[in-house]
Each structure stands twice: as C-alpha cells, then as structure tokens.
C-alpha cells in the first residue's frame, strides 16, 4: 500500500497543528505510458509549504506538496530505469508517479541524480534549491568584497549554512545569528564562520554589535522580527541586504504583509545609510545561474570547502512534527524526513 498525508483542512491562521493533516493507506498508483513509479527516499521540509497551505494554493484533500529524492521502482518512461535516483516532487507520500512539470520556483522535475557527485539527500538541500538561494543572494545580489562584514540569520539552517560559507569563501568576515549556543558553536567550529550570536540571549543586540566592530556591509535575511531589529543599527553606508525570507512572521495572524512591516521598520536607516534591499526569489536565478552553481557547489562539497548538516527525522509519520519543528527553530540543520531506506547511504 501507499502511505499518504493529505491536507485535512484549510489551516487556520497561525502555525501548523494536529488537525491540519490526515494520514491514510491508499493503493499504489500505476504508471501510465511515459511515467515511472517512484519510492520516496527523502522528503524535504521547507517553509514555503506553509505559505501554500495557508493561501489555498494547496487544496483541502490534496497530497501535501513536497520536494523529494526518490528511486524508480518501475518505469514506463524511456528516460528512466528501475533503480535510478530522481529529484522530484512526490510530496508527503511513500510512492508517487513522475510527471514533467515546472514548479513555482522555476524548477523542472524530475531531474536524474548521480550518487557519485554528492550524497543524494543534498539534492533537496545544499546542492539544490536551498544552496542556489544562498548563492544567488550572496554571490549574485550582494557581492560582498573581501574584508567586508556579512551577517547571516538562521545561520545553522538549510539556506543559512550555505550563505555563510559562500561569503566566507569570498574572504569576508562572516557573523552568524542562530537560536542557541549549540547552533552557534556549530556555525563557528564546523562551518568556520568568524563569530555567531544567539538571538535568544537577552544581550543579543549588544552581542551582535560586539561581533561586528566595523559595522555590517551585507545582511542575508532569513528571519525578520527582533532578529532584524538587532542588525538595523549596524548597517554601514552602501550596505546591501538580500531579503530571502522572514520566517518568524509566517504565522502572523493579522493578515498584514510582513514585507511591508519589515521595510517600514528599516526605512529611516535604509534612507540614511543608502542601504540597497534586494528581494530574493530563487526562481529568478534558476535559468541563468543554476548550472554554474551546481558545478561550483559540487566541487566545494567534494573538497570539503562547504560543509552541511542535515536534521533527518525517521519515518513518513513524522512529517507534521518535522514540519512544525522546522518552522519554530526546533530543527538543527536542513530538515528532511527519511521515508524509506537510502541504498546509497553508508551502512
Ligand atoms: P531553516 O533550515 O533555516 O529552518 C528555519 C530556521 O528559522 C530555524 O532553524 C530557526 O533558526 C529560524 N527561525 C524560525 N522561527 C524563528 C523565530 N521566530 N525567530 C528566529 N528564528 C526563527 O529553513 P530554510 O533554510 O528552509 O529557510 C530559511 C529561510 O529561507 C526562510 O525564511 C525561507 O522562507 C527562506 N527561503 C527563501 C527562498 C527564496 O526564494 N527567497 C527559497 C528558500 C527558502 P534559529 O533557531 O537559528 O533561529
């Protein structure tokens, strides 16, 4: 049988809760001519999934959307054979059918994966959309120069890990912001950033100021809210911001546009310091930058120049819990659900 999570209701305002999802057993779908049946190996948990559910882009009764790494079980498509690994969108279920499509982020599915290039799980993380997001914000939009100070929020998370390390490879002083001492230790000791401060500390704004004695030239924004307010007084003249996300605001119940509030909070500093704000939507970078990014990032991973941490929850049943944890900072690294055995993983 197939195991399938479907959206049980249009989620009420706020954050995900138990009644939002329903798990059931269903028949395994049969591939039509031109399709392949695939078994989900890894399921990616991403903040944008919450936006789809709240906005109605994912309808009640739909299989919950999600990017996946999967393995072909049976193929009726010339381009796939049993055993192939694919980056695709099975969603929150054990089995799915391949279908050629382009998603809202401009990604073409499915894409074949070569386990010799990098561990297959990275296709939904550092060597996938998350890594490209980080690369686009740092290397394309903000272009920090050697010696400049770059600050990255949610620095131990999926996008943040990559953003901080890419800035570090460019010769910058890089300061992370994360949600615990353990996360900060990882950011400095494992990822090699110059400093990291916890936004949960009462002395957070002072700690950040002390970690940025020359001010802030580039800010990669993942969080918003009080994390952003701590960075605001530190911007140097002609600083640049890549506005990647505002995860702390995604459960807002007031219906307001978090981007508008964010911009209003920063407006006087932005005007005074001539800060350039680049809104980031990874879709805008896929066509032009994805191939170069995949080459460069695969090389950095192979050489150990970029490291990554994954937070892998075991079993499809854990999907709602993994999703909620990620949205609330209960994750430590890129959040994945291990849905079935990864035959390429080291024993
Ligand atoms: P992460 O792996 O970074 O997980 C989310 C992290 O956000 C948590 O670990 C937590 O880190 C932090 N966080 C959550 N809630 C709060 C809060 N209330 N206050 C402070 N920190 C909080 O997720 P992703 O890497 O998948 O996504 C990171 C960001 O990138 C998101 O904003 C997402 O929307 C955005 N994004 C944007 C894209 C684009 O095209 N613009 C594409 C992909 C992602 P900590 O505990 O360290 O605070």
């Amino acid at each position: 049988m197939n195991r399938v999570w479907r959206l049980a209701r249009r989620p009420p305002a706020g954050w995900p809760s138990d009644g939002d999802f329903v798990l059931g057993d269903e028949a395994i779908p049969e591939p039509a001519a031109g399709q392949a049946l695939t078994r989900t190996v890894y399921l990616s948990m991403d903040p944008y999934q919450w936006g789809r559910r709240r906005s109605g882009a994912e309808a009640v009764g739909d299989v919950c959307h999600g990017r996946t790494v999967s393995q072909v079980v049976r193929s009726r498509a010339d381009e796939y054979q049993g055993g192939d690994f694919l980056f695709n969108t099975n969603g929150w279920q054990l089995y799915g059918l391949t279908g050629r499509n382009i998603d809202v982020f401009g990604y073409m599915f499915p894409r074949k994966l070569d386990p010799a290039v990098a561990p297959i799980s990275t296709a939904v993380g550092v060597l996938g959309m998350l890594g490209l997001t980080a690369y686009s914000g740092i290397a394309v939009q903000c272009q920090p120069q050697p010696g400049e100070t770059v600050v990255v929020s949610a620095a131990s998370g999926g996008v943040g890990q990559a953003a901080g390390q890419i800035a570090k490879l460019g010769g910058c002083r890089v300061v992370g912001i994360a949600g615990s001492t353990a996360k900060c230790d990882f950011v400095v000791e494992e990822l090699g950033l110059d400093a990291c401060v916890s936004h949960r500390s009462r002395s957070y704004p002072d700690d950040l100021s002390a970690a940025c004695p020359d001010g802030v030239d580039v800010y990669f924004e993942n969080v918003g809210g009080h994390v952003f307010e701590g960075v605001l007084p530190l911007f140097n003249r002609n600083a640049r911001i890549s506005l990647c996300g505002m995860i702390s605001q995604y459960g807002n119940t007031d219906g307001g546009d978090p981007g508008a509030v964010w911009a209003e909070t920063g407006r006087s500093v932005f005007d005074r310091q001539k800060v350039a704000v680049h809104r980031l939507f990874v879709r805008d970078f896929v066509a032009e930058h994805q191939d170069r990014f995949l080459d460069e990032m695969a090389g950095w991973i192979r050489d150990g120049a970029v490291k990554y941490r994954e937070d892998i929850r075991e079993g499809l049943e854990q999907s709602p819990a993994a999703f909620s944890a990620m949205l609330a900072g209960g994750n430590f690294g890129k959040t994945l659900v291990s849905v079935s055995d990864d035959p390429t993983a080291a024993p």
Side-chain angles (χ1 to χ4, degrees):
M1 296 297 281
N2 196 8
R3 297 224 84 193
V4 185
W5 282 104
R6 290 183 182 273
L7 190 65
R9 62 179 176 188
R10 176 87 176 270
W15 299 100
S17 58
D18 282 350
D20 294 340
F21 310 101
V22 59
L23 179 63
D25 289 328
E26 301 182 12
I28 295 174
E30 269 303 316
Q35 288 184 322
L37 174 69
T38 70
R39 175 179 53 82
T40 306
V41 180
Y42 294 108
L43 165 62
S44 177
M45 291 294 156
D46 293 283
Y48 77 88
Q49 295 172 358
W50 189 228
R52 285 175 55 93
R53 281 160 201 154
R54 286 191 63 187
S55 70
E58 184 169 300
V60 174
D62 279 357
V63 176
C64 295
H65 165 88
R67 288 131 189 275
T68 50
V69 172
S70 68
Q71 187 171 28
V72 175
V73 177
R74 197 164 58 247
S75 177
R76 296 187 64 197
D78 293 340
E79 60 270 50
Y80 309 121
Q81 297 186 336
D84 283 350
F85 293 101
L86 304 179
F87 166 53
N88 66 348
T89 50
N90 273 357
W92 294 20
Q93 58 180 346
L94 178 55
Y95 291 101
L97 298 173
T98 57
R100 213 162 250 299
N101 60 23
I102 298 179
D103 80 351
V104 66
F105 287 87
Y107 274 88
M108 179 89 80
F109 295 99
R111 177 163 60 83
K112 262 202 219 182
L113 301 175
D114 180 355
V117 170
I120 55 175
S121 59
T122 60
V124 289
V126 65
L127 198 54
M129 188 262 284
L130 297 193
L132 179 61
T133 302
Y135 182 89
S136 305
I138 295 289
V140 183
Q141 289 186 321
C142 294
Q143 303 184 6
Q145 301 303 302
E148 286 193 318
T149 299
V150 177
V151 171
V152 177
S153 54
S156 75
V159 174
Q161 301 180 45
Q165 292 179 91
I166 292 168
K168 197 66 205 147
L169 284 168
C172 303
R173 173 176 172 78
V174 188
V175 176
I177 303 170
S180 69
T181 309
K183 288 181 179 181
C184 281
D185 289 348
F186 163 75
V187 164
V188 173
E189 288 159 22
E190 297 293 321
L191 303 184
L193 269 56
D194 296 284
C196 183
V197 300
S198 168
H199 64 81
R200 293 193 199 281
S201 162
R202 227 180 287 155
S203 54
Y204 158 65
D206 294 336
D207 295 346
L208 186 63
S209 171
C212 303
D214 299 326
V216 173
D217 301 297
V218 167
Y219 178 44
F220 191 93
E221 172 69 295
N222 281 318
V223 173
H226 81 287
V227 171
F228 170 56
E229 285 165 24
V231 185
L232 202 47
L234 305 177
F235 282 115
N236 291 330
R237 202 161 175 82
N238 298 319
R240 290 86 74 202
I241 299 175
S242 179
L243 178 53
C244 172
M246 274 167 283
I247 195 167
S248 69
Q249 309 300 307
Y250 295 168
N252 278 358
T253 51
D254 62 9
D257 170 13
V261 175
W262 184 94
E264 189 51 35
T265 306
R267 192 162 56 92
S268 64
V269 173
F270 297 165
D271 288 349
R272 190 175 67 244
Q273 297 293 70
K274 301 203 175 312
V275 177
V277 177
H278 302 280
R279 284 198 172 240
L280 175 57
F281 193 12
V282 66
R283 178 176 64 187
D284 300 335
F285 298 86
V286 175
E288 194 179 339
H289 298 282
Q290 161 136 287
D291 290 347
R292 186 160 43 92
F293 158 75
L294 287 174
D295 276 356
E296 281 194 275
M297 184 56 90
W300 289 332
I301 293 171
R302 203 170 39 242
D303 301 344
V306 167
K307 303 194 174 94
Y308 60 93
R309 179 181 175 125
E310 296 169 329
D311 182 338
I312 302 182
R313 312 285 166 122
E314 289 295 323
L316 184 68
E317 295 72 16
Q318 295 304 314
S319 303
F323 186 53
S324 291
M326 180 270 301
L327 287 171
N331 61 323
F332 192 166
K334 162 65 196 160
T335 310
L336 300 167
V337 174
S338 164
V339 177
S340 65
D341 284 347
D342 174 356
T344 68

